[in-house]
Amino acid sequence: MKDLAGRVLAGEISAAARAISLIERREGDRASLLSALYPSTGGACRIGITGPPGAGKSTLAGCLGQRFVEAGRAVGILAVDIASPFSGGALLGDRIRMQGLANDPAVFIRSMGNEGRPGGMCSAALDAIRVMEAMGKDVVLVETAGVGQTDVDVAHCVDAVVLTLVPESGDEIQLLKAGVMEIADVIALNKSDRPGATGLAAELRETVHARGEVDGWKTRIVRTVGTDGEGVAELYETLEAYSGHLKNGDRLAVLRERQIRRELRERVEGRLASRLNAALERKCLDRAVVRIHAGEDDPYNAAEGLLTET
Amino acid sequence: MKDLAGRVLAGEISAAARAISLIERREGDRASLLSALYPSTGGACRIGITGPPGAGKSTLAGCLGQRFVEAGRAVGILAVDIASPFSGGALLGDRIRMQGLANDPAVFIRSMGNEGRPGGMCSAALDAIRVMEAMGKDVVLVETAGVGQTDVDVAHCVDAVVLTLVPESGDEIQLLKAGVMEIADVIALNKSDRPGATGLAAELRETVHARGEVDGWKTRIVRTVGTDGEGVAELYETLEAYSGHLKNGDRLAVLRERQIRRELRERVEGRLASRLNAALERKCLDRAVVRIHAGEDDPYNAAEGLLTET
């Protein structure tokens, strides 16, 4: 792991890919790997790209990545798919790769599923983001599969959230208002050359206006057409503006501290759950049930004993 | 606690009431109290009475309790209300009390809320059931507030589940089919003198028929009118038949063992969660966040440390 960490820190692509695989598969001594990388992390601008399926998130992530590269930044793109195992995440990554970005040495693209295990996705995404930071990326774009809770979870791993919508999303807005819109710092109204874009833009402006400023920032709406790059420059400028806003005062520090607090809780809960499951697999539970059934123990003593064994 | 246990075992009503209060408020050394009582528990016939609000569960519990008393059995009635704190549970208990049963020395009635804390209700209900068994009750009727998950939870604490429906429940059946109906051993179609009872009975019979026998028992449907006692004798006989079915072979032993397994898991998870919350209250999390923020620690080491402190 020490060696792997050294190779990631040296910017070796195969080492970073291997590290993210370990995180995805929850294998190996990830904690010591990530501990070794940690001092070299936290420096990138972390941008989440969320939104419903079909909104063009991959295309937009590709365009944005290209724009950051042109600005001389090293870019990591992480496609997170909580719903599917490897295949789904790979699909997302493939879509981005098709844009030719993958041939650019400044860009590292990786997709990550969760092997069908619920929970812990926020920690796993943070781990992968940190690997990308440790290998030297200045910007990490995190694309989600757009399945509700993942979008909300990803907001706890990034500095900025771009909510991607399309004119057809009109009907979903009511639904989105409840949760996902609340976490959007920037809304990309993508495929905005389609009918209904102007109406949706007006509706979104109204919603954003009603919400007002949150900590000095009012959600901005940018009309884009990802397939021909229209509006991507404005989206890039808007993100740079938001990044500047975060760096003004201690906003970024406060945000990151809140995220670390959340991350710690998730990690501790996850490890407690793992311990409990490990204990149950070790047949401790079976033995306790047998003892209780035989009248040699009771559920209260037994629970205390199981707690010690976990 | 030793003294309290002794008084409960001697059948002292005030001691049993005090014990259930401790369980409800999660106060005192409940584990040692319940450990002391445990060898004297498990002997009662435990019957859950579930169903939507307004189905007449309290009235039916009162009638059934009366019937068991007439058969020479000592009866405990536990009204469990997960949604409300004390007041809600007390209300349920009061409804039963109004029937005059409370004056019968063979009957012990107690309501239990959960103080607005979610989770652990199954363990708490089991604790209260055991107190009633330790004080000498032969039958424990557990009435739930009828709020979905509580109904399903209560099934894990009892031997038999009576699902109480009314003709007006027709529309809810589709909903109920999914979960609550699956756990019903007996369906009491209460207020069956009202219009729609015959239609609903036919519909229920069809559903029950489609499900078929489960471990040699096919859910039985009994039409009742709790307010004038109609059908209560048949409901009583049906429960006695089900009780006999359970005692045939090792069915009851297998059922109880499965419940104890579940109970142990719930208790261990509950204690782990308590430890975690206690650790967080002890400011461990705050200190960890500060250390990470200062660059003196990382989230991976810190999570391991928090795990040790919990």
Side-chain angles (χ1 to χ4, degrees), chain A residues 31 34-35 38 127 130 253 257 260-261 263-265 267-269 271-272 275-277 280 285-286 288-289 292-293 297-304 306-307 310, chain B residues 31 34-35 38 127 130 253 257 260-261 263-265 267-269 271-272 275-277 280 285-286 288-289 292-293 297-304 306-307 310:
Chain A
L34 288 155
S35 279
Y38 190 76
D127 291 345
R130 286 184 186 134
E257 191 173 307
I260 281 182
R261 175 176 295 271
E263 178 194 355
L264 273 180
R265 216 193 149 96
R267 286 194 198 284
V268 175
E269 282 173 346
R271 286 176 201 200
L272 286 175
R275 278 193 191 181
L276 183 60
N277 285 326
L280 300 185
L285 188 65
D286 282 345
V289 171
I292 293 168
H293 203 64
D297 202 356
D298 66 67
Y300 310 96
N301 271 322
E304 211 50 64
L306 281 172
L307 209 54
T310 58
Chain B
L34 288 154
S35 278
Y38 190 76
D127 292 345
R130 287 186 184 130
E257 191 172 307
I260 281 183
R261 177 176 294 272
E263 178 193 355
L264 274 179
R265 214 192 152 95
R267 285 195 197 283
V268 175
E269 283 173 346
R271 286 177 202 198
L272 285 174
R275 279 193 193 179
L276 183 62
N277 286 325
L280 300 184
L285 187 66
D286 283 345
V289 171
I292 293 167
H293 202 65
D297 202 355
D298 66 67
Y300 310 96
N301 271 322
E304 211 49 63
L306 281 172
L307 210 52
T310 57

Side-chain angles (χ1 to χ4, degrees), chain B residues 22-302:
Chain B
L22 291 177
I23 292 161
E24 181 180 46
R25 296 171 196 261
R26 306 189 188 191
E27 284 173 4
D29 185 5
R30 306 178 312 278
S32 66
L33 168 68
L34 288 154
S35 278
L37 300 181
Y38 190 76
S40 310
T41 65
C45 176
R46 305 168 174 178
I47 300 169
I49 300 181
T50 72
K57 296 186 294 294
S58 295
T59 308
L60 215 52
C63 291
L64 261 182
Q66 188 65 55
R67 193 67 198 71
F68 277 108
V69 168
E70 284 161 18
R73 318 275 280 275
V75 174
I77 301 181
L78 179 69
V80 173
D81 191 344
I82 197 175
S84 338
F86 304 108
S87 55
L91 191 67
L92 282 173
D94 285 349
R95 277 197 219 138
I96 301 172
R97 259 180 219 105
M98 285 193 299
Q99 298 175 57
L101 258 186
N103 299 323
D104 195 315
V107 182
F108 177 72
I109 303 171
R110 194 74 172 84
S111 17
M112 190 168 68
N114 78 332
E115 293 220 273
R117 282 172 295 197
M121 205 53 205
C122 187
S123 305
L126 268 173
D127 292 345
I129 288 170
R130 287 186 184 130
V131 169
M132 289 186 173
E133 289 177 333
M135 75 187 287
K137 298 307 174 195
D138 310 306
V139 176
V140 179
L141 301 174
V142 184
E143 183 202 340
T144 62
V147 282
Q149 192 51 44
T150 328
D151 292 335
V152 178
D153 284 347
V154 95
H156 300 295
C157 314
V158 295
D159 307 327
V161 173
V162 178
L163 172 61
T164 311
L165 297 173
V166 284
E168 294 77 13
S169 307
D171 294 343
E172 302 172 67
I173 299 291
Q174 288 307 320
L175 211 78
L176 287 166
K177 265 181 190 165
V180 183
M181 273 188 75
E182 298 241 319
I183 56 162
D185 304 303
V186 179
I187 296 176
L189 178 44
N190 199 27
K191 306 187 186 178
S192 64
D193 51 344
R194 290 199 192 167
T198 306
L200 180 57
E203 203 182 320
L204 289 172
R205 266 194 302 273
E206 207 174 297
T207 308
V208 162
H209 185 73
R211 195 177 166 224
E213 276 192 5
V214 176
D215 192 24
W217 179 263
K218 191 165 156 182
T219 305
R220 294 205 196 158
I221 300 161
V222 180
R223 292 178 66 155
T224 57
V225 183
T227 45
D228 64 12
E230 203 186 305
V232 172
E234 191 190 341
L235 180 60
Y236 166 80
E237 296 299 339
T238 306
L239 283 167
E240 287 290 88
Y242 184 67
S243 191
H245 164 77
L246 276 184
K247 279 170 190 152
N248 192 347
D250 62 355
R251 286 197 184 96
L252 185 61
V254 168
L255 175 72
R256 290 277 176 95
E257 191 172 307
R258 198 166 61 224
Q259 292 178 346
I260 281 183
R261 177 176 294 272
R262 200 189 152 84
E263 178 193 355
L264 274 179
R265 214 192 152 95
E266 188 179 299
R267 285 195 197 283
V268 175
E269 283 173 346
R271 286 177 202 198
L272 285 174
S274 301
R275 279 193 193 179
L276 183 62
N277 286 325
L280 300 184
E281 276 169 23
R282 284 203 316 270
K283 304 282 180 200
C284 295
L285 187 66
D286 283 345
R287 284 199 300 269
V289 171
V290 168
R291 281 199 307 270
I292 293 167
H293 202 65
E296 295 159 12
D297 202 355
D298 66 67
Y300 310 96
N301 271 322

Side-chain angles (χ1 to χ4, degrees), chain A residues 201-308:
Chain A
E203 204 183 318
L204 288 172
R205 268 196 300 275
E206 206 174 295
T207 307
V208 162
H209 185 72
R211 193 174 169 227
E213 278 191 4
V214 177
D215 192 24
W217 179 264
K218 193 165 155 182
T219 304
R220 296 204 196 160
I221 301 159
V222 180
R223 292 177 67 156
T224 56
V225 183
T227 45
D228 64 11
E230 203 187 304
V232 172
E234 191 190 340
L235 181 59
Y236 167 81
E237 296 299 340
T238 306
L239 283 167
E240 287 290 89
Y242 183 66
S243 192
H245 164 76
L246 277 185
K247 281 169 189 153
N248 193 346
D250 62 355
R251 285 197 185 96
L252 185 61
V254 167
L255 176 71
R256 291 276 177 94
E257 191 173 307
R258 198 167 59 224
Q259 291 178 347
I260 281 182
R261 175 176 295 271
R262 201 189 150 83
E263 178 194 355
L264 273 180
R265 216 193 149 96
E266 188 178 299
R267 286 194 198 284
V268 175
E269 282 173 346
R271 286 176 201 200
L272 286 175
S274 301
R275 278 193 191 181
L276 183 60
N277 285 326
L280 300 185
E281 277 169 23
R282 282 201 319 270
K283 306 279 180 200
C284 295
L285 188 65
D286 282 345
R287 283 198 299 270
V289 171
V290 168
R291 281 199 307 270
I292 293 168
H293 203 64
E296 294 160 13
D297 202 356
D298 66 67
Y300 310 96
N301 271 322
E304 211 50 64
L306 281 172
L307 209 54
T308 315

Side-chain angles (χ1 to χ4, degrees), chain A residues 108-122:
Chain A
F108 177 72
I109 302 172
R110 195 73 172 85
S111 19
M112 190 167 71
N114 78 332
E115 295 219 272
R117 282 172 296 199
M121 205 54 205
C122 188

